[in-house]
């Protein structure tokens, strides 16, 4: 982890000196339960960052607070040096978000939805139109561009949401479970697209349950469980010679060593 | 297994109450409403008991047939009906068919409509308090009748599952069902007016219906009472056969539904049609307006209110215009135009709730409160004003009362302005428990309605107060009969309407900037 950052006013330094995302003491409580417990995390600019953790670990809550969707009880989140909660507009301009478990305006056609996302960001019509076309091509959705999103399959819905997050060419992409129910071919296409994006200087944060995918795709990883960051750094340093999955299980625990369910054996 | 299904239904009901105290308040109100219906029915039946068996038969048969018909029709159109124990959810459990059918049928009685139906059906025995032996027969008949209701609704839902799961069918049927509900008052009024002429016709109708599957079971006690043993027996057989057929339909369609995936018709369509997005300016405000307008047309929850609002002035016509001529009717339509405009404008008070978690997109893109509020207001305002102006003009034309036209328009403007302004503030403050995207517009969530109704009433009252100046001018104008007041009302309508609108947008936008993340949390909780 890097040192705590000095607060520099917007525009007085090149944004690349800052981490793409920097969380400090971010906390969220729901009643008596602490969902996110004062986490600190730095996502270096230009990294492909994986966020892994068991169900209910606080991944989605952390990402929601980091992206301005959920107000934290305490702590700060900065995107390329811009405080998300103090300067939400500037911060949101830098970010593209794919939240998990939220609806889309699904009575719009796929084309209309992505156009809507672009126009809401204040982009002009011509740029939006040409980018919408490119995005739909790249995500294999061109044939269904005029279909209402409500009639899309789960995987297509994920892809159209991803297109909505990409339309304004953000510096940082925050994707919560982007590969869920996406077919292998589209999934590979999305991975290529994201790898290109990182190669061109962008930063991607993905949360996922699939360790193999994170190990292959990401260069950095953080393990979150019970609202705490258990490990963070480059994938190599975190997995420490083991596979990421083995390391994850070691960190998080919860594996049963016993013989399992005796009565389930068929012979 | 049957006991398990019953206890599952009770547990689901109990857990839904635990979610919030408003749920309980809602259930209590629904319960009181049910008890009211129950009380009225039972008292009515007891009073009916003093009449002769012929009259009892006519009334019980016709009302009973209507009850079964209701259970048959409503589930198809209101896809939002209670489907907590949807058969599809048990697909993976391999429950023996027979236990499942019995369990689901009995579980249908748990819930207010089921219980009320059962008690009222059995309560038909009360009508026979003068001849206890007949009353004794009426009890099992009542139970069978209630079962028939449940079987009918189950059979029809199972049979129409594949149809009802098509989105388009759901959308359209949901809206169509709204129309008779809104016009219920006038329809009942017309029918009851006509009823007096039908007093000879009804017994004949009752006698006929008694031989149909809908009425047979209800007529059995009456036939026994008047000594027609054979016809009583025949009707009882008809009733049993009806139940058997319904059960069979239910069983076979259920068996088919469980192995056939739901049909969801959709065509692949390539892009190029941006609809309203191509018409509105390419700004955030324009985009919100285009999106909202698209929703007004495509989302049945919005289109339903677009269907209801134009019907409102017609209800006033029914109430006021029946004894007046064309002139009265025209004036009523013209002045009621402001109600229609207000209803459309006020619809956006639940806009954020209707967005549900899709609202996250507005938050993620950082769209300004002003653009968000203004866009929604433009869409609803366009519709409200067109509707209001058309009705006011048609009304003025019908009454040939063009001197009142400026006053009518003034009322429309102030009503729309007040509605839009208030709704802009309300929807950035309160989220209501509304049907989720894709659900039937008629679906009412158990509970929380009490709070929603409270918010609505406050909004109505607020709009009422805000329109007082213009209403006063119109009234004064009517009393002193000076056309100049009509023009004054128009001027006041323009000025006040714009003022309310701008103030509402400003306050709503400021509130949005402060509370947008909290709004998203609130709609996420309602999910």
């Amino acid at each position: 982890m890097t040192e705590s950052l000095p607060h520099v006013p917007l525009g007085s330094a090149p944004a690349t000196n800052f981490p793409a995302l920097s969380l400090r003491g971010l906390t969220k409580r729901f009643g008596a339960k602490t969902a996110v417990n004062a986490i600190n995390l730095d996502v270096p600019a230009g990294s492909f960052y994986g966020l892994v953790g068991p169900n209910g670990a606080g991944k989605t809550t952390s990402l929601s607070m980091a992206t301005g969707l959920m107000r934290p009880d305490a702590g700060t989140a900065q995107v390329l040096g811009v405080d998300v909660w103090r300067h939400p507009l500037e911060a949101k301009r830098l970010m593209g978000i794919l939240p998990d478990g939220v609806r889309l305006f699904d009575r719009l056609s796929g084309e209309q939805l992505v156009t809507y996302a672009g126009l809401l960001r204040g982009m002009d019509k011509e740029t939006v139109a040409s980018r919408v076309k490119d995005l739909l091509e790249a995500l294999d959705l061109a044939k269904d561009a005029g279909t209402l999103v409500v009639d899309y399959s789960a995987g297509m819905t994920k892809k159209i949401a991803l297109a909505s997050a990409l339309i304004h060419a953000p510096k940082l992409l925050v994707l919560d479970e982007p590969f869920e129910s996406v077919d292998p071919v589209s999934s590979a296409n999305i991975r290529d697209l994201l790898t290109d994006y990182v190669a061109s200087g962008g930063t991607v944060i993905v949360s996922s349950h699939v360790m193999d995918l994170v190990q292959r795709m990401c260069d950095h990883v953080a393990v979150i469980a019970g609202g705490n960051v258990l490990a963070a750094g480059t994938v190599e340093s975190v997995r420490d010679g083991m596979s990421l999955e083995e390391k994850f299980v070691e960190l998080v625990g919860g594996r049963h060593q016993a013989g399992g369910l005796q009565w389930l054996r068929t012979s | 297994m049957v006991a398990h299904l019953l206890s599952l239904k009770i547990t689901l009901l109990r857990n839904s109450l635990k979610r919030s105290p408003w749920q309980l308040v809602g259930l209590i109100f629904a319960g009181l409403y049910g008890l009211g219906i129950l009380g009225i029915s039972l008292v009515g039946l007891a009073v009916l008991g003093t009449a002769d068996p012929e009259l009892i038969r006519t009334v019980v048969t016709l009302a009973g047939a209507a009850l079964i018909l209701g259970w048959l029709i409503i589930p198809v159109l209101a896809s939002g009906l209670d489907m907590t124990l949807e058969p599809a959810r048990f697909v993976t459990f391999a429950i023996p068919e027979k236990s499942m059918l019995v369990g689901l049928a009995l579980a249908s009685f748990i819930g207010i409509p089921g219980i009320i139906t059962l008690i009222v059906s059995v309560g038909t025995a009360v009508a026979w308090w003068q001849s206890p032996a007949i009353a004794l027969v009426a009890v099992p008949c009542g139970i069978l009748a209630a079962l028939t209701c449940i079987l009918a609704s189950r059979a029809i839902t199972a049979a129409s599952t594949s149809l009802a799961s098509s989105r388009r069918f759901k959308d359209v049927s949901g809206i169509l069902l709204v129309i008779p509900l809104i016009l219920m008052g006038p329809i009942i009024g017309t029918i009851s007016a006509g009823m007096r002429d039908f007093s000879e016709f009804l017994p004949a109708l009752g006698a006929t219906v008694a031989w149909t599957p809908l009425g047979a079971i209800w007529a059995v006690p009456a036939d026994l009472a008047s000594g027609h043993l054979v016809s009583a027996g025949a009707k009882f057989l008809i009733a049993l056969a009806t139940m058997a057929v319904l059960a069979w339909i239910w069983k076979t369609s259920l068996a088919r539904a469980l192995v056939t995936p739901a049909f969801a018709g959709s065509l692949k369509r390539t892009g190029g049609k941006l609809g309203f997005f191509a018409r509105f300016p390419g700004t955030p405000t324009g985009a919100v307006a285009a999106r909202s307008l698209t929703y007004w047309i495509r989302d049945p929850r919005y289109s339903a209110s677009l269907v209801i609002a134009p019907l409102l002035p017609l209800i006033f016509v029914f109430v006021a215009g029946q004894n007046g001529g064309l002139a009265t009717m025209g004036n009523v339509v013209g002045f009621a135009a402001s109600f229609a405009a207000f209803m459309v404008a006020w619809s956006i008070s639940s806009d954020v709730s209707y967005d549900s978690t899709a609202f996250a997109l507005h938050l993620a893109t950082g769209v300004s409160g002003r653009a968000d509020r203004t866009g929604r207001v433009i869409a609803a305002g366009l519709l409200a004003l067109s509707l209001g102006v058309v009705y006011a003009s048609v009304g003025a034309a019908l009454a040939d009362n063009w001197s009142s036209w400026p006053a009518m328009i003034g009322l429309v403007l102030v009503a729309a302005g007040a509605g839009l302004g208030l709704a802009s503030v309300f929807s950035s403050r309160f989220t209501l428990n509304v049907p989720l995207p894709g659900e039937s517009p008629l679906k009412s969530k158990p509970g929380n309605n009490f709070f929603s109704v409270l918010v609505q009433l406050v909004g109505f009252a607020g709009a009422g107060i805000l329109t007082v100046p213009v209403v006063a001018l119109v009234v004064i104008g009517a009393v002193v009969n000076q056309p100049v007041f009509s023009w004054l009302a128009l001027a006041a309508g323009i000025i006040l309407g714009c003022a309310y609108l701008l103030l509402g947008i400003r306050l709503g936008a400021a509130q949005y900037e402060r509370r947008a993340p909290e709004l998203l949390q609130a709609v996420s909780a309602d999910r």
Side-chain angles (χ1 to χ4, degrees):
Chain A
M1 296 241 171
T2 55
E3 304 304 314
S4 168
L5 293 154
H7 279 285
V8 181
L10 188 63
S12 64
T16 42
N17 291 349
F18 293 99
L21 181 69
S22 163
L23 309 180
R24 288 289 171 273
L26 211 53
T27 305
K28 187 74 192 179
R29 279 179 290 271
F30 296 112
K33 182 176 179 286
T34 303
V36 176
N37 184 19
I39 61 168
N40 299 311
L41 193 67
D42 280 301
V43 175
S47 64
F48 203 138
Y49 208 102
L51 208 56
V52 297
N55 297 327
K59 298 189 299 281
T60 297
T61 310
S62 305
L63 291 181
S64 298
M65 290 191 289
T67 51
L69 297 184
M70 185 189 286
R71 203 183 296 279
D73 291 336
T76 58
Q78 292 191 350
V79 175
L80 293 162
V82 183
D83 190 301
V84 173
W85 288 96
R86 240 177 277 162
H87 306 284
L89 273 185
E90 291 83 347
K92 283 169 182 174
R93 217 166 277 150
L94 298 168
M95 274 189 289
I97 313 171
L98 173 71
D100 186 36
V102 308
R103 291 165 187 276
L104 299 172
F105 285 104
D106 57 13
R107 299 274 157 167
L108 301 179
S109 68
E111 190 181 24
Q112 284 177 324
L113 180 65
V114 185
T115 307
Y116 186 45
L119 292 176
L120 281 184
R121 296 208 177 253
M123 298 163 64
D124 67 85
K125 260 187 179 175
E126 288 69 32
T127 319
V128 170
S130 73
R131 286 192 186 173
V132 166
K133 198 163 168 295
D134 293 346
L135 279 169
L136 292 176
E137 288 291 340
L139 292 166
D140 316 310
L141 288 170
K143 273 198 290 271
D144 295 290
T147 309
L148 298 196
V149 175
V150 67
D151 293 331
Y152 273 12
S153 71
M156 289 159 78
T157 310
K158 272 280 185 220
K159 288 196 282 178
I160 205 74
L162 181 63
S164 311
L166 289 171
I167 182 84
H168 60 296
K171 297 262 189 296
L172 167 67
L173 260 182
V174 181
L175 313 175
D176 201 354
E177 298 286 353
F179 298 104
E180 215 175 38
S181 56
V182 176
D183 66 84
V185 177
S186 303
S187 172
N189 287 349
I190 294 177
R191 274 207 312 278
D192 287 350
L193 193 145
L194 294 179
T195 313
D196 277 357
Y197 171 79
V198 171
S200 71
T203 310
V204 175
I205 304 175
V206 293
S207 81
S208 180
H209 287 115
V210 189
M211 299 298 150
D212 278 345
L213 189 77
V214 172
Q215 185 176 345
R216 261 185 299 138
M217 189 173 65
C218 302
D219 45 43
H220 287 65
V221 68
V223 181
I224 295 188
N228 293 299
V229 177
L230 300 185
T234 62
V235 173
E236 297 309 315
S237 68
V238 168
R239 72 189 176 97
D240 198 18
M242 291 186 257
S243 81
L244 186 60
E245 181 158 346
E246 286 164 345
K247 184 68 188 178
F248 178 81
V249 171
E250 185 192 300
L251 281 168
V252 174
R255 280 279 287 158
H256 301 290
Q257 290 301 320
L261 304 170
Q262 294 298 333
W263 48 265
L264 195 55
R265 302 190 170 175
T266 49
S267 59
Chain B
M1 181 52 63
V2 173
H4 283 143
L5 285 172
L6 289 178
S7 70
L8 173 63
K9 174 91 182 223
I10 293 173
T11 313
L12 285 170
L13 190 66
R14 204 174 46 215
N15 287 352
S16 78
L17 292 181
K18 277 189 196 151
R19 284 187 58 203
S20 98
W22 290 108
Q23 303 264 1
L24 191 61
V25 175
L27 187 75
I28 290 173
F29 270 80
L32 286 178
Y33 184 68
L35 278 180
I37 292 183
L38 193 64
I40 293 170
S41 311
L42 291 182
V43 170
L45 284 166
V47 173
L48 191 64
T50 59
D52 64 297
E54 277 306 303
L55 184 62
I56 300 180
R57 186 178 72 174
T58 305
V59 173
V60 171
T61 307
L62 287 178
L67 185 65
I68 297 181
L69 204 61
W71 277 91
L72 207 54
I73 293 173
I74 293 173
V76 190
L77 299 178
S79 44
L81 216 76
D82 176 24
M83 289 301 277
T84 344
L85 295 190
E86 211 169 350
R89 297 193 180 172
F90 297 104
V91 174
T92 52
F93 286 109
I95 301 170
E97 199 171 65
K98 206 182 245 171
S99 323
M100 174 122 129
L101 294 184
V102 176
L104 290 180
L106 292 183
S108 299
F109 285 117
I110 301 173
I112 288 171
I115 291 177
I116 301 289
T117 302
L118 182 63
I119 298 180
V120 171
S121 304
V122 175
T124 49
V126 175
W128 301 104
W129 56 271
Q130 285 184 327
S131 37
I134 303 296
L136 220 56
V137 177
V139 170
C141 284
I143 294 175
L144 290 182
L147 256 178
T148 311
C149 288
I150 300 295
L151 284 176
S153 81
R154 285 284 170 178
I156 199 90
T157 10
S160 61
T161 302
S162 65
L163 183 62
S165 64
S166 125
R167 182 177 55 75
R168 206 160 288 270
F169 175 82
K170 267 194 221 159
D171 288 3
V172 173
S173 66
I175 297 171
L176 288 184
L177 188 62
V178 166
I179 300 175
L181 282 183
I182 290 301
L183 294 178
M184 187 91 85
I187 289 173
I188 291 176
T190 317
I191 290 177
S192 57
M195 203 73 98
R196 282 167 228 133
D197 314 329
F198 282 119
S199 51
E200 297 94 48
F201 167 67
L202 282 181
L205 181 66
T208 313
V209 170
W211 284 103
T212 66
L214 291 179
I217 190 69
W218 305 101
V220 173
D223 277 7
L224 284 179
S226 49
H228 298 102
L229 291 184
V230 180
S231 101
K235 281 170 188 165
F236 192 67
L237 287 181
I238 292 179
L240 286 186
T242 306
M243 291 177 66
V245 170
L246 286 174
W248 179 79
I249 295 178
W250 182 23
K251 198 185 94 174
T252 47
S253 5
L254 197 59
R256 209 184 44 224
L258 288 186
V259 294
T260 322
F263 165 77
S266 75
L267 289 167
K268 282 198 164 208
R269 256 175 263 145
T270 48
K273 291 214 180 73
L274 280 175
F276 290 117
F277 287 95
R279 305 253 162 75
F280 279 88
T283 60
T285 309
V288 175
R291 202 273 304 165
S292 301
L293 211 50
T294 312
Y295 263 59
W296 274 97
I297 288 159
R298 275 204 202 134
D299 188 329
R301 297 170 304 160
Y302 284 96
S303 353
S305 47
L306 209 51
V307 170
I308 294 172
L311 294 176
L312 275 182
L314 301 184
I315 293 180
F316 284 99
V317 172
F318 262 106
V319 174
Q322 268 176 348
N323 39 14
L326 203 59
T328 324
M329 216 163 84
N331 281 325
V332 169
V333 169
F335 283 108
S338 51
F339 282 93
F342 173 76
M343 287 314 289
V344 173
W346 179 248
S347 299
I348 62 168
S349 64
S350 41
D351 238 21
V352 174
S353 314
Y354 276 156
D355 287 354
S356 184
T357 48
F359 180 65
L361 182 67
H362 283 219
L363 205 49
T365 52
V367 64
S368 72
R370 176 162 289 266
D372 174 280
R373 299 289 98 184
T374 314
R376 296 172 194 270
V377 161
I378 289 175
L382 278 177
L383 295 168
L385 287 185
S386 344
L387 185 66
V389 170
V390 166
Y391 265 77
S393 308
V394 167
L398 278 181
D400 196 20
N401 180 12
W402 288 103
S403 63
S404 291
W405 185 79
M408 292 169 180
I409 296 290
L411 275 176
V412 166
L413 289 173
V414 76
L420 291 170
L422 278 172
S424 294
V425 180
F426 269 63
S427 80
S428 59
R429 180 65 192 83
F430 303 107
T431 55
L432 307 174
N433 202 349
V434 296
L436 294 175
E439 284 181 348
S440 160
L442 290 175
K443 175 157 189 171
S444 63
K445 301 280 189 82
N448 205 350
N449 289 334
F450 183 68
F451 180 69
S452 307
V453 170
L454 205 67
V455 170
Q456 300 287 321
L457 285 181
V458 171
F460 284 2
I465 294 168
L466 292 180
T467 49
V468 160
V470 182
V471 174
L473 284 172
V474 171
V475 171
I476 294 171
V479 171
V480 301
N481 202 9
Q482 289 282 340
V484 66
F485 280 98
S486 185
W487 289 102
L488 280 177
L490 177 62
I494 293 173
I495 295 167
L496 285 177
C498 290
Y500 295 152
L501 184 69
L502 294 177
L503 195 65
I505 290 177
R506 161 168 272 185
L507 291 177
Q511 191 150 245
Y512 174 100
E513 302 286 356
R514 278 199 311 278
R515 298 193 71 253
E518 280 69 28
L519 280 177
L520 179 63
Q521 287 312 300
V523 290
S524 306
D526 284 346
R527 207 145 56 100

